[in-house]
Amino acid sequence: MSFKVLVIPEDHTNNGAILKPLVGRVLADAGKPAALIKVVDRPRLRGYESAVAAIRGDLIDLYRWMNLWLFFPDADKANAANVKALEHDLAGSGVTLLCCIAQPEVEVYAAAAYSSEVPGGWAAARTHHRFKEDVFAPLLAAHGDVRRPNGGRDLMIEQGVQNLPRLYQLCPELQSLRDRLVAHLAAVRDPER
């Protein structure tokens, strides 16, 4: 039986291109290399509020049957308290949801492979209030491909996931997600834990 994972981005086209390969590698590292991954593309999500409304609404009816949901909100709107409440609420609906707040936003994962090129250093970039525009856009121009629908974000994340330990070091929320996945998978295998 296949393990089915729903990935919920704030934006399907750009974030989805980053998240699908990223989630595939993190799941493989957590012990599920053959997981089937579906990135939500309908309904069309447009930001944090849209994604949360869909998670609490339409997605439950459409995707309750999937084994696990992963939500990757940007840090500008999400915080630990509200994603914990969201996870708790979905558990009451029979859905296992794990949230991973992208610091500062999902594009950071595609940028990680190029961290040495970030002006001002990686630590400053992780807190930059205009990360996508000021930090990520120049990296995308240098390492992406404008002919691709996502501008080459998929190419950039492929570089990042080649060195997963380094990606975990640069983006510790991914290491935390991986650890939560391992714990969840162990609990599912051994419900007495």
Side-chain angles (χ1 to χ4, degrees):
M1 181 177 199
S2 297
F3 190 73
K4 298 168 194 70
V5 178
L6 184 69
V7 175
I8 307 161
E10 289 186 9
D11 167 53
H12 164 72
T13 303
N14 292 329
N15 290 351
I18 295 167
L19 292 174
K20 188 166 186 176
L22 173 66
V23 167
R25 286 299 298 269
V26 173
L27 283 167
D29 190 40
K32 286 292 183 185
L36 298 175
I37 301 166
K38 162 76 175 149
V39 177
V40 171
D41 57 356
R42 300 255 188 269
R44 184 109 170 117
L45 306 177
R46 302 261 186 216
Y48 179 77
E49 290 84 4
S50 172
V52 169
I55 289 168
R56 292 183 183 280
D58 293 344
L59 296 183
I60 293 174
D61 292 334
L62 294 170
Y63 297 108
R64 180 190 315 265
W65 54 272
M66 297 193 85
N67 301 98
L68 178 66
W69 292 13
L70 300 175
F71 178 36
F72 289 85
D74 294 340
D76 61 341
K77 302 254 175 100
N79 62 54
N82 61 25
V83 298
K84 184 176 181 177
L86 186 61
E87 290 176 356
H88 180 268
D89 292 349
L90 268 281
S93 297
V95 173
T96 302
L97 171 70
L98 299 180
C99 299
C100 180
I101 301 173
Q103 183 64 43
E105 49 196 308
V106 167
E107 284 79 5
V108 74
Y109 306 137
Y114 311 97
S115 61
S116 64
E117 299 174 31
V118 174
W122 187 251
R126 295 262 299 161
T127 60
H128 198 292
H129 70 283
R130 290 180 38 89
F131 179 87
K132 193 182 317 182
E133 298 82 3
D134 297 344
V135 178
F136 182 70
L139 294 173
L140 183 63
H143 301 286
D145 183 344
V146 296
R147 298 168 296 185
R148 299 173 86 85
N150 57 54
R153 286 165 172 82
D154 57 332
L155 300 173
M156 293 175 69
I157 192 62
E158 285 298 333
Q159 288 300 307
V161 297
Q162 295 302 313
N163 187 346
L164 208 50
R166 175 87 172 132
L167 187 56
Y168 290 156
Q169 178 187 10
L170 293 172
C171 303
E173 69 272 18
L174 292 176
Q175 177 70 56
S176 295
L177 175 64
R178 186 255 181 213
D179 294 346
R180 291 183 73 200
L181 286 166
V182 168
H184 170 72
L185 294 170
V188 170
R189 279 191 296 273
D190 181 7
E192 297 300 315
R193 289 182 85 189

